[in-house]
């Protein structure tokens, strides 16, 4: 073995015990909520065939896929000509010859692949959740990693807007359980955006409009106007747009104002789908009312919410934690053709995802992790010498039998060192049996947080720690 | 998007809901046991630098590492000459130019890297467990995958044999909790193997001896003898070997017989380490007695147990489930120089690992998965029509508030279809409110396993399902 100075790839992280415990606290709340709503776990491989991944995330996505070299003699089909030909296409020419697998880029495409491969045996509607890491060869920066977890829940095989309403319930349940209270769930519908586009008089390109609207938060009205003009929209269209976006009030009031505005504009009214967006949003709100939903103050109809439009076709969602300066911690929406790329068209579904790294940062900034979330061993049993060590073995056995995570310091080191160990590991209690306690057949239990010491029998110790 | 027929790479697997739930049942028992003994969770990245991985697993291991292509123009440093030069070394020449990262091959090397990188802040002894997938570009076959989970627990920074004794306890606790009873924990010590080697009169090479001994189970005494002769051992040495391995009886009896045999053979007695192996095994057994260990019938001192000797230096372990035809489900041992490859010599540690795929197969073969282990949703609420759907929303809310995983069928489909859904998903109960029950303000609760139906109030339903 050669000696190497160890490092980890940029954009990746080691998670030490305290961080894993806190992350598991978040994962646990998300998992329990998904399961309570009937979503079942799915796990797909880290390695996917590039034929599955490529072309699903746009050109930029294809660039950001991590590709895995074929094993063995990966160069066997590559010729010197492939490289010598200086047409700038060598990489594109060689890639399919040296790599046929890549790393999972998101959880949605593997989910679609799974549904198509197992469509004969799955029962629909199929409700699955998936909590696994994904990899992107993005430039690492603060808060952006090359390896990070996604937590997705999706249901496919039903158009029912019950699913959308339950997504709002799940979002609230997770955030409430995490102690986050000051949040806004923004909701919109692709149909509303289409109506807005139609109301502008059909100028320019639809996607240009949405790209510009999506930036409203960042660049303001003037910036968006400038961008619209650059993209070929008229001043009139821009003015109409801001008139439409200026709707105010409750969910219902905004819906009514928009519907009225669409009616006086150029939105065609002859199609049954004309106001599908507004109608579906209303149905979602009705379902929520039926559930006795009590957090309407956290739900905002935002006609400017656009998200990744190439993909979504119905309701779209996004959550912002208001008292933390951070992007959205969750988002999702309905899509009509997720499995079309794998030859199974017409499967409607809706899904959403939590960003666990951002949730973690929010909880940390707001000091919302409960004390126990980082806990490891509850009790360290001190080791005085070989004979004390032998005497402590049945004690240790009894603690563990009561479900108390415990350990005996493995060597008869100085007590100061043993206490330092407990402290460094975040252990709450140290149990000691020195000569005084031994005579009494008792133990000294020290709480390292409060400094409090008690002299107790073993069964009292178990009762105090259990 | 182009349409592609989806597939997954050979040697990888999708885990559907029922399988994930059963795997999580196993992971949960392992995790709780590790934590009860004071081991804390660590997670390391999937991507490691090849400088960390290469040279740690032998030449064969280097071949089996999955390498990840550098992102962007990965060919930028590769010349046509690299390929044109037909000296058979093109792959070796090109590899470092196109790939600097690889996939985690095991959990031990990343653990050693982590310890070295964080040695300034960790408290020692450092006890960590790690449950994560690893990847090997092995030829896939029955029971051998290219992507599979390992479950490791290791402690570094102490020589105490308490750790070895607790490994035996943890192994038993996990197997007992899984309902596996007919198992054997084989234990040996590298020092015993060294003594055996010395007792043969120092002929041949040590590693040749151990490779041959390791095959005793498979090829029998005659096969091992043949192989020893081929490897340059004398007939006398082979006879001495089998005399030594013929020890019988309890742990203590075998130990005493071996010690006597070593004493009359050529084992040097002037070194304090002469019988270290036997002495340490005795100490481990004494610790176990001190714990009140009651499963000595499952613990066997096997002087032929060799395992990966390049690595281990002290006690070694292996578990075999006796009533299932399968390799070992767990193994481990003590090592003296795990972190040496990263520039931190002299750190002693001991660890072990469970093979979750094999445990899964054992439980399945012996029908030991508890019924609840595959459970998902507990109750499906039937959907008759839009007005019944609205009436069921508060019911659903109440069930979930009581922690009962429940779902409302999202569409007013035929009841037969809804029952088929419940059945396909393994849901135990269906709750219905037809016109008759509605009049009574009651519900019909049907147990799909027994076929039993009860007419109950909502609070009775909650009590029955909670």
């Amino acid at each position: 073995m050669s000696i190497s100075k160890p490092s980890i790839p940029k954009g990746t992280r080691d998670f030490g015990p305290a961080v894993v415990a806190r992350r598991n606290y978040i994962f646990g709340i998300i998992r329990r909520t998904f399961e309570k709503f009937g979503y079942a776990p799915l796990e797909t491989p880290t390695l996917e065939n590039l034929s599955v991944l490529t072309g699903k995330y746009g050109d930029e996505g294809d660039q950001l896929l991590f590709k895995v070299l074929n094993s063995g003699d990966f160069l066997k089909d590559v010729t010197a000509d492939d490289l010598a030909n200086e047409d700038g296409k060598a990489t594109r020419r060689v890639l399919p010859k040296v790599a046929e697998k890549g790393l999972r880029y998101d959880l949605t495409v593997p989910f679609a692949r799974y549904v198509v491969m197992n469509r004969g045996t799955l029962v629909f509607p199929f409700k699955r959740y998936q909590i696994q890491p994904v990899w992107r060869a993005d430039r690492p920066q603060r808060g952006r990693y090359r390896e990070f977890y996604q937590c997705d829940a999706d249901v496919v095989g039903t158009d029912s807007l019950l699913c959308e309403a339950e997504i709002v319930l799940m979002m609230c349940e997770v955030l409430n359980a995490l102690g986050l209270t000051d949040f806004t769930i923004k909701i919109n519908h692709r149909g509303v955006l289409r109506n807005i586009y139609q109301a502008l008089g059909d100028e320019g390109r639809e996607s240009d409009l949405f790209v510009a609207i999506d930036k409203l938060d960042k660049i303001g009205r003037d910036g968006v106007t400038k961008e619209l003009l650059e993209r070929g929209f008229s001043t009139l269209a821009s003015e109409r747009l801001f008139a439409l976006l200026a709707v105010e009030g409750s969910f219902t009031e905004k819906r009514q104002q928009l519907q009225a505005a669409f009616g006086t504009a150029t939105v065609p009214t002859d199609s049954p789908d004309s106001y599908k967006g507004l109608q579906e949003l209303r149905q979602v709100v009705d379902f929520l009312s039926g559930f006795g939903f009590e957090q309407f103050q956290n739900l905002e109809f935002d006609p400017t919410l656009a998200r990744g439009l190439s993909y979504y076709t119905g309701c779209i969602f996004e959550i912002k934690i208001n008292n933390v300066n951070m992007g959205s911690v969750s988002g999702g929406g309905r899509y009509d053709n997720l499995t079309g790329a794998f030859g199974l068209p017409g499967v409607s579904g809706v899904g959403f995802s939590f960003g666990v790294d951002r949730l973690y940062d929010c909880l940390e900034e707001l000091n919302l992790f409960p004390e126990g979330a980082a806990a490891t061993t509850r009790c360290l049993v001190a080791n005085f010498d070989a004979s004390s060590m032998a005497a402590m073995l049945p004690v240790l056995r009894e603690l563990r039998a009561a479900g108390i995570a415990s350990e005996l310091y493995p060597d008869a080191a100085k007590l100061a060192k043993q206490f330092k160990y407990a402290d460094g590991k975040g252990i709450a209690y140290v149990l000691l049996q020195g000569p005084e306690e031994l005579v009494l057949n008792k133990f000294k239990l020290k709480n390292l947080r409060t400094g409090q010491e008690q002299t107790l029998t073993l069964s009292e110790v178990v009762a105090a720690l259990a």
Side-chain angles (χ1 to χ4, degrees), chain A:
Chain A
M1 291 199 223
S2 63
I3 290 181
S4 57
K5 184 173 153 56
S7 63
I8 53 175
K10 59 183 177 175
T12 71
R13 294 165 288 174
D14 286 318
F15 297 116
V19 177
V20 172
R22 288 203 191 95
R23 286 168 61 89
N24 285 345
Y25 164 76
I26 299 174
F27 288 135
I29 285 173
I30 294 173
R31 184 175 290 121
R32 280 193 295 279
T33 303
F34 287 163
E35 290 183 353
K36 210 196 283 183
F37 281 77
Y39 288 77
L42 173 71
E43 290 179 14
T44 63
T46 294
L47 296 171
E48 291 274 358
N49 289 319
L50 285 175
S51 58
V52 164
L53 299 176
T54 307
K56 306 304 185 301
Y57 306 107
D59 285 347
E60 200 202 11
D62 286 350
Q63 294 294 319
L64 299 184
L65 288 171
F66 276 113
K67 289 107 184 167
V68 174
L69 265 183
N70 296 339
S71 39
D73 179 12
F74 60 88
L75 288 173
K76 67 179 189 297
D77 297 329
V78 181
T79 63
D81 279 356
D82 283 331
L83 299 176
N85 213 336
E86 290 186 355
D87 55 2
K89 292 180 184 158
T91 301
R92 189 171 302 178
R93 203 158 42 223
V94 170
L95 180 61
K97 297 184 173 185
V98 300
E100 57 192 29
K101 290 180 291 292
L103 302 188
R104 188 170 51 220
Y105 182 85
D106 73 355
L107 303 180
T108 308
V109 166
F111 169 57
R113 173 194 56 69
Y114 176 83
V115 168
V116 173
M117 284 177 68
N118 296 277
R119 64 186 181 274
T121 53
L122 291 179
V123 280
F124 290 95
F126 180 56
K127 300 168 82 169
R128 85 86 173 80
Y129 75 85
Q130 194 167 351
I131 299 180
Q132 291 191 280
V134 300
W135 293 266
R136 297 182 184 178
D138 230 332
R139 187 179 300 275
Q141 53 179 259
R142 195 180 123 78
R144 190 199 284 163
Y145 304 100
R146 294 185 145 190
E147 174 172 345
F148 58 96
Y149 268 74
Q150 291 191 331
C151 308
D152 282 25
D154 287 82
V155 48
V156 290
T158 174
D159 295 322
S160 173
L161 294 163
L162 177 67
C163 306
E164 276 83 342
E166 291 196 335
I167 284 176
V168 173
L169 294 182
M170 285 188 276
M171 286 173 158
C172 282
E173 185 150 333
V174 165
L175 297 180
N176 293 341
L178 291 172
L180 292 164
T181 51
D182 189 5
F183 62 87
T184 302
I185 302 177
K186 292 184 175 187
I187 183 168
N188 196 12
H189 193 290
R190 170 75 201 256
V192 172
L193 289 168
R194 196 184 312 116
N195 288 159
I196 289 176
Y197 173 68
Q198 291 164 334
L200 299 192
D202 235 349
E203 302 154 68
R205 286 186 302 121
E206 196 166 349
S207 63
D208 285 343
L209 176 68
F210 302 137
V211 168
I213 290 182
D214 222 16
K215 296 181 183 167
L216 189 57
D217 265 3
K218 284 183 196 151
I219 61 177
R221 177 172 173 160
D222 289 350
V224 171
T225 301
K226 185 160 168 273
E227 181 152 343
L228 286 174
L229 297 179
E230 284 169 12
R231 286 172 184 262
F233 288 85
S234 68
T235 309
L236 180 63
S238 172
E239 279 168 12
R240 275 196 190 146
L241 172 68
F242 285 103
L244 289 170
L245 299 183
V247 294
E248 283 188 327
S250 69
F251 205 107
T252 305
E253 286 163 352
K254 282 182 185 170
R255 189 173 51 72
Q256 289 167 339
Q257 288 168 40
L258 274 178
Q259 183 143 1
F262 292 157
T264 62
T266 57
V267 177
T269 54
D270 49 348
S271 149
D273 278 354
S274 273
Y275 299 111
K276 193 179 169 195
L278 292 173
Q279 284 162 10
E280 291 199 350
L281 287 173
R282 179 181 187 163
Q283 178 65 63
V284 171
V285 169
D286 285 350
F287 276 133
L288 286 171
S289 300
F291 273 114
F293 181 62
E294 286 155 351
Q295 294 186 264
F296 278 110
Q297 78 281 5
N298 294 106
L299 185 66
E300 184 194 332
F301 172 24
D302 179 358
T304 72
L305 179 67
R307 290 187 66 81
L309 272 171
S310 64
Y311 189 104
Y312 293 119
T313 52
C315 286
I316 47 182
F317 309 92
E318 201 166 278
I319 304 183
K320 178 87 184 65
I321 308 298
N322 298 318
N323 51 345
V324 178
N325 182 18
M326 192 177 295
S328 64
V329 297
S330 175
R334 181 172 286 275
Y335 37 81
D336 274 348
N337 197 23
L338 191 68
T339 56
F342 299 116
L344 183 67
V347 177
S348 182
V350 57
F352 75 117
S353 176
F354 285 106
V356 76
D357 289 307
R358 288 186 173 173
L359 284 174
Y360 187 101
D361 291 346
C362 286
L363 295 197
E364 192 154 71
E365 182 166 335
L366 298 173
N367 202 18
L368 287 175
F369 280 113
E371 201 180 288
T376 52
T377 301
R378 187 153 171 77
C379 180
L380 176 72
V381 180
N383 187 339
F384 287 86
D385 52 34
S387 86
S388 123
M389 191 172 177
M392 288 303 111
L393 298 181
V395 172
L396 201 51
R397 178 191 169 136
E398 198 145 332
L399 291 173
R400 289 173 179 158
I404 301 160
S406 324
E407 52 186 303
L408 173 61
Y409 196 84
D411 306 292
K414 288 200 173 119
L415 269 189
K417 190 174 178 186
Q418 299 188 40
F419 272 95
K420 198 176 156 198
Y421 173 82
D423 200 49
K425 200 168 169 176
I427 298 176
Y429 292 91
V430 175
L431 188 72
L432 309 97
Q433 191 177 49
E436 289 174 49
E437 291 84 25
L438 186 60
V439 172
L440 299 168
N441 196 23
K442 289 197 168 185
F443 300 85
K444 193 190 284 178
L445 182 66
K446 178 157 183 167
N447 182 325
L448 292 193
R449 301 219 169 103
T450 65
Q452 190 200 17
E453 289 184 0
Q454 293 175 278
T455 301
L456 303 171
T457 66
L458 181 53
S459 56
E460 288 167 342
V461 170
V462 169
L465 296 179

